[in-house]
Amino acid sequence: MAVSPTELLDIARTIALEAGELIARRRSEGVVVADTKSSSIDVVTFADRECEEFVKSRLAELRPEDGFYGEEGGDSTGTSGLTWIVDPIDGTVNYLYGIPQFAVSIAVVEGTPDPGTWKQLAGVVFNPMNDELYFASLGGGAFLTKAGMTSPLAVNQETLLAHTLLATGFAYSSELRAEQADVLTRILPAVRDIRRAGAASLDLCAVAAGQLDAYYERDTKPWDYAAGSLVLREAGGVVGGLDGAPEGREMLLATNTHLFSQIEKLLLS
């Protein structure tokens, strides 16, 4: 690989800041729903599509030989062995309602968009409404830049399940939500409390920053976690699925080394 993770991070960070400014401007102008996807409540806005096209075009200028994999489609296979994984607006429903919990998520991996085989190289998650830029590169640590100040990130080292502040999310499918509700009835009595903020990338970064102790969710896609999971890993956390599987659609669990197996047992019970 001719380019270093640090160089790739610089590109991701630059484009994420530009894309964040774009979606913030579009939010102030008013959000228009362009279509629905998996269900009538799974919306995509014109800003989602515009932002993804913007990111894709900027990457084509700077890294024309790389592949691209975005939530809104338009995927392409490159010749460099690297793939950019992009969620133009993670937390679209929050964006639609004006809740300031959404982000641009940009990651680059060596390989394909498959957490079982990829090698994560760099990742950026930017919430333009709160001016929070989370970023990490392989072996380079994880950081948050806010209000011009940059600080390193480190996961909490909580060991007690009963003291765990745990975040989760829910699918758009009503059938799957019913199953997720059943799981929640087992978990809620065992932990300190539950949070549901509505953007997987920011939940992962919140665990990395010590604002949460853990996060789990079923039915996530690579663009939801490609950047945030690298930030969390570089902050000293653990990310995976159940029974030794990598994170993915069946389950994503992110926490510290002390709590992972305890939460995994609850999810498997």
Side-chain angles (χ1 to χ4, degrees), residues 30-78:
V31 179
V32 179
V33 174
D35 204 350
T36 59
K37 293 186 285 188
S38 63
S39 74
S40 63
I41 58 174
D42 183 8
V43 298
V44 55
T45 70
F46 284 105
D48 285 276
R49 293 176 174 175
E50 181 184 11
C51 183
E52 182 164 307
E53 282 303 312
F54 171 79
V55 172
K56 187 176 182 180
S57 65
R58 289 287 282 124
L59 287 170
E61 294 170 7
L62 300 172
R63 299 286 307 172
E65 297 180 351
D66 297 348
F68 182 88
Y69 186 72
E71 180 176 12
E72 306 311 329
D75 306 338
S76 62
T77 302

mmCIF file of all heavy atoms in Angstrom, residues 30-78:
data_model
loop_
_atom_site.group_PDB
_atom_site.id
_atom_site.type_symbol
_atom_site.label_atom_id
_atom_site.label_comp_id
_atom_site.label_asym_id
_atom_site.label_seq_id
_atom_site.Cartn_x
_atom_site.Cartn_y
_atom_site.Cartn_z
ATOM 1 N N GLY A 30 -34.344 23.688 4.936
ATOM 2 C CA GLY A 30 -35.551 22.873 4.983
ATOM 3 C C GLY A 30 -35.332 21.522 4.340
ATOM 4 O O GLY A 30 -34.789 21.439 3.231
ATOM 5 N N VAL A 31 -35.754 20.467 5.002
ATOM 6 C CA VAL A 31 -35.501 19.108 4.547
ATOM 7 C C VAL A 31 -36.682 18.593 3.735
ATOM 8 O O VAL A 31 -37.841 18.763 4.128
ATOM 9 C CB VAL A 31 -35.254 18.174 5.757
ATOM 10 C CG1 VAL A 31 -35.020 16.736 5.282
ATOM 11 C CG2 VAL A 31 -34.059 18.670 6.556
ATOM 12 N N VAL A 32 -36.369 17.967 2.612
ATOM 13 C CA VAL A 32 -37.395 17.389 1.753
ATOM 14 C C VAL A 32 -37.118 15.899 1.602
ATOM 15 O O VAL A 32 -36.008 15.492 1.249
ATOM 16 C CB VAL A 32 -37.409 18.055 0.359
ATOM 17 C CG1 VAL A 32 -38.477 17.404 -0.527
ATOM 18 C CG2 VAL A 32 -37.650 19.552 0.491
ATOM 19 N N VAL A 33 -38.125 15.083 1.891
ATOM 20 C CA VAL A 33 -37.999 13.633 1.731
ATOM 21 C C VAL A 33 -38.041 13.292 0.246
ATOM 22 O O VAL A 33 -38.959 13.702 -0.474
ATOM 23 C CB VAL A 33 -39.116 12.887 2.484
ATOM 24 C CG1 VAL A 33 -39.061 11.391 2.177
ATOM 25 C CG2 VAL A 33 -38.994 13.133 3.981
ATOM 26 N N ALA A 34 -37.038 12.539 -0.213
ATOM 27 C CA ALA A 34 -36.967 12.164 -1.621
ATOM 28 C C ALA A 34 -37.623 10.825 -1.894
ATOM 29 O O ALA A 34 -38.202 10.611 -2.956
ATOM 30 C CB ALA A 34 -35.509 12.119 -2.074
ATOM 31 N N ASP A 35 -37.541 9.907 -0.923
ATOM 32 C CA ASP A 35 -38.031 8.557 -1.166
ATOM 33 C C ASP A 35 -38.047 7.793 0.157
ATOM 34 O O ASP A 35 -37.615 8.312 1.190
ATOM 35 C CB ASP A 35 -37.097 7.846 -2.161
ATOM 36 C CG ASP A 35 -37.781 6.704 -2.906
ATOM 37 O OD1 ASP A 35 -38.916 6.345 -2.527
ATOM 38 O OD2 ASP A 35 -37.173 6.185 -3.852
ATOM 39 N N THR A 36 -38.547 6.563 0.107
ATOM 40 C CA THR A 36 -38.434 5.639 1.232
ATOM 41 C C THR A 36 -37.695 4.405 0.749
ATOM 42 O O THR A 36 -37.614 4.140 -0.456
ATOM 43 C CB THR A 36 -39.805 5.242 1.796
ATOM 44 O OG1 THR A 36 -40.575 4.634 0.754
ATOM 45 C CG2 THR A 36 -40.543 6.461 2.341
ATOM 46 N N LYS A 37 -37.169 3.621 1.715
ATOM 47 C CA LYS A 37 -36.373 2.452 1.340
ATOM 48 C C LYS A 37 -37.036 1.180 1.851
ATOM 49 O O LYS A 37 -37.993 0.697 1.263
ATOM 50 C CB LYS A 37 -34.944 2.625 1.854
ATOM 51 C CG LYS A 37 -34.210 3.772 1.145
ATOM 52 C CD LYS A 37 -32.751 3.873 1.536
ATOM 53 C CE LYS A 37 -32.559 4.457 2.903
ATOM 54 N NZ LYS A 37 -31.127 4.725 3.215
ATOM 55 N N SER A 38 -36.570 0.660 2.969
ATOM 56 C CA SER A 38 -37.064 -0.640 3.431
ATOM 57 C C SER A 38 -38.510 -0.596 3.914
ATOM 58 O O SER A 38 -39.199 -1.616 3.918
ATOM 59 C CB SER A 38 -36.160 -1.164 4.550
ATOM 60 O OG SER A 38 -36.190 -0.297 5.670
ATOM 61 N N SER A 39 -38.975 0.566 4.347
ATOM 62 C CA SER A 39 -40.361 0.724 4.786
ATOM 63 C C SER A 39 -40.742 2.191 4.672
ATOM 64 O O SER A 39 -39.903 3.046 4.362
ATOM 65 C CB SER A 39 -40.529 0.245 6.235
ATOM 66 O OG SER A 39 -39.955 1.177 7.134
ATOM 67 N N SER A 40 -42.003 2.496 4.960
ATOM 68 C CA SER A 40 -42.478 3.873 4.821
ATOM 69 C C SER A 40 -41.829 4.824 5.819
ATOM 70 O O SER A 40 -41.850 6.044 5.630
ATOM 71 C CB SER A 40 -43.999 3.925 4.976
ATOM 72 O OG SER A 40 -44.374 3.500 6.282
ATOM 73 N N ILE A 41 -41.243 4.279 6.899
ATOM 74 C CA ILE A 41 -40.606 5.138 7.894
ATOM 75 C C ILE A 41 -39.088 5.224 7.706
ATOM 76 O O ILE A 41 -38.408 5.952 8.414
ATOM 77 C CB ILE A 41 -40.923 4.664 9.333
ATOM 78 C CG1 ILE A 41 -40.464 3.223 9.555
ATOM 79 C CG2 ILE A 41 -42.401 4.823 9.624
ATOM 80 C CD1 ILE A 41 -40.632 2.762 10.989
ATOM 81 N N ASP A 42 -38.574 4.460 6.731
ATOM 82 C CA ASP A 42 -37.140 4.474 6.419
ATOM 83 C C ASP A 42 -36.932 5.451 5.273
ATOM 84 O O ASP A 42 -36.961 5.090 4.098
ATOM 85 C CB ASP A 42 -36.690 3.062 6.027
ATOM 86 C CG ASP A 42 -35.200 2.972 5.765
ATOM 87 O OD1 ASP A 42 -34.486 3.957 6.022
ATOM 88 O OD2 ASP A 42 -34.754 1.910 5.292
ATOM 89 N N VAL A 43 -36.707 6.721 5.609
ATOM 90 C CA VAL A 43 -36.709 7.774 4.597
ATOM 91 C C VAL A 43 -35.301 8.096 4.109
ATOM 92 O O VAL A 43 -34.311 7.854 4.794
ATOM 93 C CB VAL A 43 -37.369 9.062 5.142
ATOM 94 C CG1 VAL A 43 -38.818 8.813 5.498
ATOM 95 C CG2 VAL A 43 -36.593 9.622 6.328
ATOM 96 N N VAL A 44 -35.257 8.649 2.911
ATOM 97 C CA VAL A 44 -34.032 9.235 2.373
ATOM 98 C C VAL A 44 -34.384 10.635 1.902
ATOM 99 O O VAL A 44 -35.419 10.848 1.264
ATOM 100 C CB VAL A 44 -33.443 8.379 1.225
ATOM 101 C CG1 VAL A 44 -34.450 8.149 0.127
ATOM 102 C CG2 VAL A 44 -32.184 9.035 0.672
ATOM 103 N N THR A 45 -33.553 11.600 2.248
ATOM 104 C CA THR A 45 -33.799 12.981 1.844
ATOM 105 C C THR A 45 -32.966 13.325 0.615
ATOM 106 O O THR A 45 -32.006 12.630 0.270
ATOM 107 C CB THR A 45 -33.451 13.962 2.977
ATOM 108 O OG1 THR A 45 -32.018 13.989 3.154
ATOM 109 C CG2 THR A 45 -34.129 13.563 4.282
ATOM 110 N N PHE A 46 -33.341 14.415 -0.030
ATOM 111 C CA PHE A 46 -32.526 14.887 -1.143
ATOM 112 C C PHE A 46 -31.119 15.236 -0.670
ATOM 113 O O PHE A 46 -30.146 15.090 -1.417
ATOM 114 C CB PHE A 46 -33.197 16.096 -1.808
ATOM 115 C CG PHE A 46 -34.362 15.728 -2.683
ATOM 116 C CD1 PHE A 46 -35.663 15.961 -2.265
ATOM 117 C CD2 PHE A 46 -34.162 15.127 -3.924
ATOM 118 C CE1 PHE A 46 -36.740 15.610 -3.062
ATOM 119 C CE2 PHE A 46 -35.236 14.779 -4.737
ATOM 120 C CZ PHE A 46 -36.529 15.020 -4.300
ATOM 121 N N ALA A 47 -31.002 15.681 0.578
ATOM 122 C CA ALA A 47 -29.684 16.012 1.123
ATOM 123 C C ALA A 47 -28.813 14.777 1.259
ATOM 124 O O ALA A 47 -27.593 14.850 1.058
ATOM 125 C CB ALA A 47 -29.835 16.712 2.475
ATOM 126 N N ASP A 48 -29.402 13.615 1.622
ATOM 127 C CA ASP A 48 -28.640 12.361 1.652
ATOM 128 C C ASP A 48 -27.982 12.108 0.303
ATOM 129 O O ASP A 48 -26.781 11.812 0.218
ATOM 130 C CB ASP A 48 -29.562 11.175 1.971
ATOM 131 C CG ASP A 48 -29.984 11.099 3.426
ATOM 132 O OD1 ASP A 48 -29.226 10.543 4.221
ATOM 133 O OD2 ASP A 48 -31.085 11.580 3.740
ATOM 134 N N ARG A 49 -28.775 12.204 -0.739
ATOM 135 C CA ARG A 49 -28.283 11.897 -2.076
ATOM 136 C C ARG A 49 -27.260 12.933 -2.542
ATOM 137 O O ARG A 49 -26.221 12.575 -3.116
ATOM 138 C CB ARG A 49 -29.451 11.825 -3.055
ATOM 139 C CG ARG A 49 -30.388 10.654 -2.785
ATOM 140 C CD ARG A 49 -31.591 10.666 -3.700
ATOM 141 N NE ARG A 49 -32.413 9.470 -3.525
ATOM 142 C CZ ARG A 49 -33.574 9.273 -4.139
ATOM 143 N NH1 ARG A 49 -34.046 10.195 -4.984
ATOM 144 N NH2 ARG A 49 -34.268 8.167 -3.929
ATOM 145 N N GLU A 50 -27.559 14.191 -2.283
ATOM 146 C CA GLU A 50 -26.633 15.244 -2.701
ATOM 147 C C GLU A 50 -25.295 15.113 -1.983
ATOM 148 O O GLU A 50 -24.229 15.252 -2.591
ATOM 149 C CB GLU A 50 -27.239 16.615 -2.420
ATOM 150 C CG GLU A 50 -26.343 17.767 -2.863
ATOM 151 C CD GLU A 50 -26.896 19.132 -2.495
ATOM 152 O OE1 GLU A 50 -27.877 19.199 -1.714
ATOM 153 O OE2 GLU A 50 -26.345 20.133 -2.991
ATOM 154 N N CYS A 51 -25.341 14.835 -0.694
ATOM 155 C CA CYS A 51 -24.121 14.715 0.081
ATOM 156 C C CYS A 51 -23.290 13.516 -0.375
ATOM 157 O O CYS A 51 -22.059 13.615 -0.505
ATOM 158 C CB CYS A 51 -24.442 14.610 1.570
ATOM 159 S SG CYS A 51 -22.976 14.543 2.625
ATOM 160 N N GLU A 52 -23.944 12.381 -0.627
ATOM 161 C CA GLU A 52 -23.187 11.216 -1.084
ATOM 162 C C GLU A 52 -22.537 11.487 -2.435
ATOM 163 O O GLU A 52 -21.371 11.109 -2.662
ATOM 164 C CB GLU A 52 -24.072 9.982 -1.165
ATOM 165 C CG GLU A 52 -23.291 8.751 -1.581
ATOM 166 C CD GLU A 52 -24.009 7.452 -1.305
ATOM 167 O OE1 GLU A 52 -24.426 7.238 -0.149
ATOM 168 O OE2 GLU A 52 -24.127 6.651 -2.239
ATOM 169 N N GLU A 53 -23.244 12.133 -3.331
ATOM 170 C CA GLU A 53 -22.652 12.466 -4.627
ATOM 171 C C GLU A 53 -21.475 13.419 -4.463
ATOM 172 O O GLU A 53 -20.465 13.307 -5.178
ATOM 173 C CB GLU A 53 -23.713 13.071 -5.556
ATOM 174 C CG GLU A 53 -24.641 12.054 -6.174
ATOM 175 C CD GLU A 53 -23.886 10.998 -6.965
ATOM 176 O OE1 GLU A 53 -23.007 11.366 -7.772
ATOM 177 O OE2 GLU A 53 -24.156 9.797 -6.757
ATOM 178 N N PHE A 54 -21.597 14.343 -3.530
ATOM 179 C CA PHE A 54 -20.506 15.278 -3.268
ATOM 180 C C PHE A 54 -19.269 14.528 -2.773
ATOM 181 O O PHE A 54 -18.162 14.734 -3.265
ATOM 182 C CB PHE A 54 -20.935 16.318 -2.228
ATOM 183 C CG PHE A 54 -19.814 17.177 -1.740
ATOM 184 C CD1 PHE A 54 -19.356 18.247 -2.495
ATOM 185 C CD2 PHE A 54 -19.186 16.904 -0.520
ATOM 186 C CE1 PHE A 54 -18.299 19.029 -2.050
ATOM 187 C CE2 PHE A 54 -18.137 17.678 -0.072
ATOM 188 C CZ PHE A 54 -17.688 18.749 -0.834
ATOM 189 N N VAL A 55 -19.461 13.653 -1.788
ATOM 190 C CA VAL A 55 -18.333 12.899 -1.244
ATOM 191 C C VAL A 55 -17.709 12.013 -2.315
ATOM 192 O O VAL A 55 -16.473 11.942 -2.447
ATOM 193 C CB VAL A 55 -18.787 12.053 -0.036
ATOM 194 C CG1 VAL A 55 -17.663 11.125 0.420
ATOM 195 C CG2 VAL A 55 -19.230 12.952 1.112
ATOM 196 N N LYS A 56 -18.548 11.364 -3.087
ATOM 197 C CA LYS A 56 -18.040 10.485 -4.132
ATOM 198 C C LYS A 56 -17.220 11.251 -5.160
ATOM 199 O O LYS A 56 -16.141 10.799 -5.593
ATOM 200 C CB LYS A 56 -19.205 9.763 -4.810
ATOM 201 C CG LYS A 56 -18.771 8.706 -5.805
ATOM 202 C CD LYS A 56 -19.962 7.962 -6.365
ATOM 203 C CE LYS A 56 -19.505 6.861 -7.328
ATOM 204 N NZ LYS A 56 -20.668 6.124 -7.894
ATOM 205 N N SER A 57 -17.696 12.431 -5.535
ATOM 206 C CA SER A 57 -16.970 13.225 -6.532
ATOM 207 C C SER A 57 -15.648 13.749 -5.971
ATOM 208 O O SER A 57 -14.637 13.785 -6.683
ATOM 209 C CB SER A 57 -17.837 14.391 -7.027
ATOM 210 O OG SER A 57 -18.091 15.315 -5.976
ATOM 211 N N ARG A 58 -15.639 14.122 -4.710
ATOM 212 C CA ARG A 58 -14.391 14.603 -4.096
ATOM 213 C C ARG A 58 -13.377 13.469 -3.999
ATOM 214 O O ARG A 58 -12.185 13.661 -4.246
ATOM 215 C CB ARG A 58 -14.678 15.180 -2.708
ATOM 216 C CG ARG A 58 -15.414 16.471 -2.716
ATOM 217 C CD ARG A 58 -14.502 17.626 -3.182
ATOM 218 N NE ARG A 58 -13.620 18.051 -2.094
ATOM 219 C CZ ARG A 58 -12.294 18.093 -2.172
ATOM 220 N NH1 ARG A 58 -11.666 17.687 -3.262
ATOM 221 N NH2 ARG A 58 -11.564 18.521 -1.143
ATOM 222 N N LEU A 59 -13.841 12.283 -3.651
ATOM 223 C CA LEU A 59 -12.929 11.142 -3.588
ATOM 224 C C LEU A 59 -12.418 10.774 -4.981
ATOM 225 O O LEU A 59 -11.255 10.362 -5.136
ATOM 226 C CB LEU A 59 -13.630 9.944 -2.952
ATOM 227 C CG LEU A 59 -13.860 10.042 -1.443
ATOM 228 C CD1 LEU A 59 -14.778 8.928 -0.964
ATOM 229 C CD2 LEU A 59 -12.533 9.999 -0.682
ATOM 230 N N ALA A 60 -13.264 10.918 -5.992
ATOM 231 C CA ALA A 60 -12.831 10.627 -7.363
ATOM 232 C C ALA A 60 -11.726 11.584 -7.796
ATOM 233 O O ALA A 60 -10.833 11.201 -8.569
ATOM 234 C CB ALA A 60 -14.022 10.723 -8.312
ATOM 235 N N GLU A 61 -11.762 12.808 -7.289
ATOM 236 C CA GLU A 61 -10.705 13.770 -7.594
ATOM 237 C C GLU A 61 -9.390 13.396 -6.912
ATOM 238 O O GLU A 61 -8.317 13.469 -7.520
ATOM 239 C CB GLU A 61 -11.110 15.172 -7.123
ATOM 240 C CG GLU A 61 -12.292 15.795 -7.835
ATOM 241 C CD GLU A 61 -12.753 17.064 -7.126
ATOM 242 O OE1 GLU A 61 -12.064 17.511 -6.181
ATOM 243 O OE2 GLU A 61 -13.804 17.601 -7.507
ATOM 244 N N LEU A 62 -9.506 13.010 -5.638
ATOM 245 C CA LEU A 62 -8.314 12.803 -4.813
ATOM 246 C C LEU A 62 -7.791 11.375 -4.846
ATOM 247 O O LEU A 62 -6.584 11.144 -4.696
ATOM 248 C CB LEU A 62 -8.622 13.209 -3.369
ATOM 249 C CG LEU A 62 -9.029 14.668 -3.160
ATOM 250 C CD1 LEU A 62 -9.495 14.889 -1.728
ATOM 251 C CD2 LEU A 62 -7.863 15.595 -3.487
ATOM 252 N N ARG A 63 -8.701 10.395 -5.008
ATOM 253 C CA ARG A 63 -8.328 8.975 -4.975
ATOM 254 C C ARG A 63 -9.077 8.226 -6.088
ATOM 255 O O ARG A 63 -9.923 7.366 -5.814
ATOM 256 C CB ARG A 63 -8.674 8.366 -3.606
ATOM 257 C CG ARG A 63 -7.967 8.996 -2.417
ATOM 258 C CD ARG A 63 -6.510 8.596 -2.349
ATOM 259 N NE ARG A 63 -6.370 7.147 -2.382
ATOM 260 C CZ ARG A 63 -5.184 6.540 -2.496
ATOM 261 N NH1 ARG A 63 -4.073 7.243 -2.591
ATOM 262 N NH2 ARG A 63 -5.122 5.213 -2.511
ATOM 263 N N PRO A 64 -8.778 8.534 -7.340
ATOM 264 C CA PRO A 64 -9.566 7.983 -8.452
ATOM 265 C C PRO A 64 -9.473 6.470 -8.617
ATOM 266 O O PRO A 64 -10.342 5.876 -9.266
ATOM 267 C CB PRO A 64 -8.992 8.710 -9.673
ATOM 268 C CG PRO A 64 -7.611 9.116 -9.265
ATOM 269 C CD PRO A 64 -7.711 9.440 -7.803
ATOM 270 N N GLU A 65 -8.466 5.823 -8.042
ATOM 271 C CA GLU A 65 -8.308 4.381 -8.225
ATOM 272 C C GLU A 65 -8.974 3.557 -7.118
ATOM 273 O O GLU A 65 -8.955 2.323 -7.163
ATOM 274 C CB GLU A 65 -6.815 4.028 -8.300
ATOM 275 C CG GLU A 65 -6.113 4.657 -9.502
ATOM 276 C CD GLU A 65 -4.646 4.304 -9.567
ATOM 277 O OE1 GLU A 65 -4.132 3.708 -8.594
ATOM 278 O OE2 GLU A 65 -4.006 4.625 -10.581
ATOM 279 N N ASP A 66 -9.548 4.234 -6.137
ATOM 280 C CA ASP A 66 -10.173 3.533 -5.016
ATOM 281 C C ASP A 66 -11.620 3.186 -5.312
ATOM 282 O O ASP A 66 -12.289 3.839 -6.124
ATOM 283 C CB ASP A 66 -10.124 4.402 -3.749
ATOM 284 C CG ASP A 66 -8.701 4.676 -3.290
ATOM 285 O OD1 ASP A 66 -7.770 4.023 -3.799
ATOM 286 O OD2 ASP A 66 -8.533 5.550 -2.420
ATOM 287 N N GLY A 67 -12.134 2.182 -4.603
ATOM 288 C CA GLY A 67 -13.531 1.813 -4.709
ATOM 289 C C GLY A 67 -14.395 2.679 -3.802
ATOM 290 O O GLY A 67 -13.894 3.401 -2.932
ATOM 291 N N PHE A 68 -15.705 2.584 -4.006
ATOM 292 C CA PHE A 68 -16.650 3.405 -3.239
ATOM 293 C C PHE A 68 -17.865 2.554 -2.895
ATOM 294 O O PHE A 68 -18.385 1.814 -3.734
ATOM 295 C CB PHE A 68 -17.080 4.622 -4.053
ATOM 296 C CG PHE A 68 -18.013 5.544 -3.326
ATOM 297 C CD1 PHE A 68 -17.525 6.570 -2.523
ATOM 298 C CD2 PHE A 68 -19.395 5.398 -3.440
ATOM 299 C CE1 PHE A 68 -18.390 7.426 -1.844
ATOM 300 C CE2 PHE A 68 -20.261 6.247 -2.758
ATOM 301 C CZ PHE A 68 -19.754 7.256 -1.965
ATOM 302 N N TYR A 69 -18.329 2.687 -1.641
ATOM 303 C CA TYR A 69 -19.509 1.954 -1.171
ATOM 304 C C TYR A 69 -20.305 2.896 -0.280
ATOM 305 O O TYR A 69 -19.890 3.226 0.823
ATOM 306 C CB TYR A 69 -19.061 0.715 -0.392
ATOM 307 C CG TYR A 69 -20.165 -0.214 0.034
ATOM 308 C CD1 TYR A 69 -20.832 -1.012 -0.892
ATOM 309 C CD2 TYR A 69 -20.530 -0.327 1.372
ATOM 310 C CE1 TYR A 69 -21.830 -1.882 -0.499
ATOM 311 C CE2 TYR A 69 -21.530 -1.201 1.780
ATOM 312 C CZ TYR A 69 -22.172 -1.979 0.831
ATOM 313 O OH TYR A 69 -23.170 -2.842 1.227
ATOM 314 N N GLY A 70 -21.477 3.352 -0.773
ATOM 315 C CA GLY A 70 -22.265 4.333 -0.038
ATOM 316 C C GLY A 70 -23.665 3.839 0.249
ATOM 317 O O GLY A 70 -24.191 2.961 -0.457
ATOM 318 N N GLU A 71 -24.287 4.422 1.254
ATOM 319 C CA GLU A 71 -25.628 3.989 1.641
ATOM 320 C C GLU A 71 -26.641 4.208 0.534
ATOM 321 O O GLU A 71 -27.577 3.429 0.363
ATOM 322 C CB GLU A 71 -26.090 4.722 2.906
ATOM 323 C CG GLU A 71 -27.476 4.283 3.335
ATOM 324 C CD GLU A 71 -27.964 4.908 4.629
ATOM 325 O OE1 GLU A 71 -27.331 5.869 5.090
ATOM 326 O OE2 GLU A 71 -28.971 4.438 5.168
ATOM 327 N N GLU A 72 -26.487 5.284 -0.232
ATOM 328 C CA GLU A 72 -27.494 5.621 -1.228
ATOM 329 C C GLU A 72 -27.202 5.025 -2.599
ATOM 330 O O GLU A 72 -27.823 5.400 -3.591
ATOM 331 C CB GLU A 72 -27.624 7.151 -1.332
ATOM 332 C CG GLU A 72 -27.884 7.859 -0.016
ATOM 333 C CD GLU A 72 -29.019 7.251 0.798
ATOM 334 O OE1 GLU A 72 -29.974 6.716 0.200
ATOM 335 O OE2 GLU A 72 -28.949 7.292 2.038
ATOM 336 N N GLY A 73 -26.241 4.105 -2.703
ATOM 337 C CA GLY A 73 -25.978 3.429 -3.972
ATOM 338 C C GLY A 73 -24.818 4.057 -4.720
ATOM 339 O O GLY A 73 -24.018 4.817 -4.188
ATOM 340 N N GLY A 74 -24.726 3.751 -6.019
ATOM 341 C CA GLY A 74 -23.647 4.292 -6.833
ATOM 342 C C GLY A 74 -22.299 3.687 -6.499
ATOM 343 O O GLY A 74 -21.264 4.345 -6.604
ATOM 344 N N ASP A 75 -22.285 2.406 -6.080
ATOM 345 C CA ASP A 75 -21.037 1.764 -5.692
ATOM 346 C C ASP A 75 -20.137 1.552 -6.903
ATOM 347 O O ASP A 75 -20.601 1.387 -8.027
ATOM 348 C CB ASP A 75 -21.324 0.417 -5.031
ATOM 349 C CG ASP A 75 -22.299 0.538 -3.861
ATOM 350 O OD1 ASP A 75 -22.417 1.651 -3.318
ATOM 351 O OD2 ASP A 75 -22.926 -0.472 -3.511
ATOM 352 N N SER A 76 -18.831 1.532 -6.636
ATOM 353 C CA SER A 76 -17.868 1.283 -7.699
ATOM 354 C C SER A 76 -16.693 0.496 -7.143
ATOM 355 O O SER A 76 -16.350 0.610 -5.970
ATOM 356 C CB SER A 76 -17.377 2.602 -8.305
ATOM 357 O OG SER A 76 -16.715 3.386 -7.329
ATOM 358 N N THR A 77 -16.104 -0.309 -7.996
ATOM 359 C CA THR A 77 -14.941 -1.108 -7.613
ATOM 360 C C THR A 77 -13.690 -0.464 -8.181
ATOM 361 O O THR A 77 -13.616 -0.180 -9.380
ATOM 362 C CB THR A 77 -15.064 -2.543 -8.151
ATOM 363 O OG1 THR A 77 -16.260 -3.123 -7.635
ATOM 364 C CG2 THR A 77 -13.880 -3.383 -7.718
ATOM 365 N N GLY A 78 -12.709 -0.229 -7.338
ATOM 366 C CA GLY A 78 -11.478 0.401 -7.784
ATOM 367 C C GLY A 78 -10.407 -0.609 -8.120
ATOM 368 O O GLY A 78 -10.636 -1.819 -8.128
#
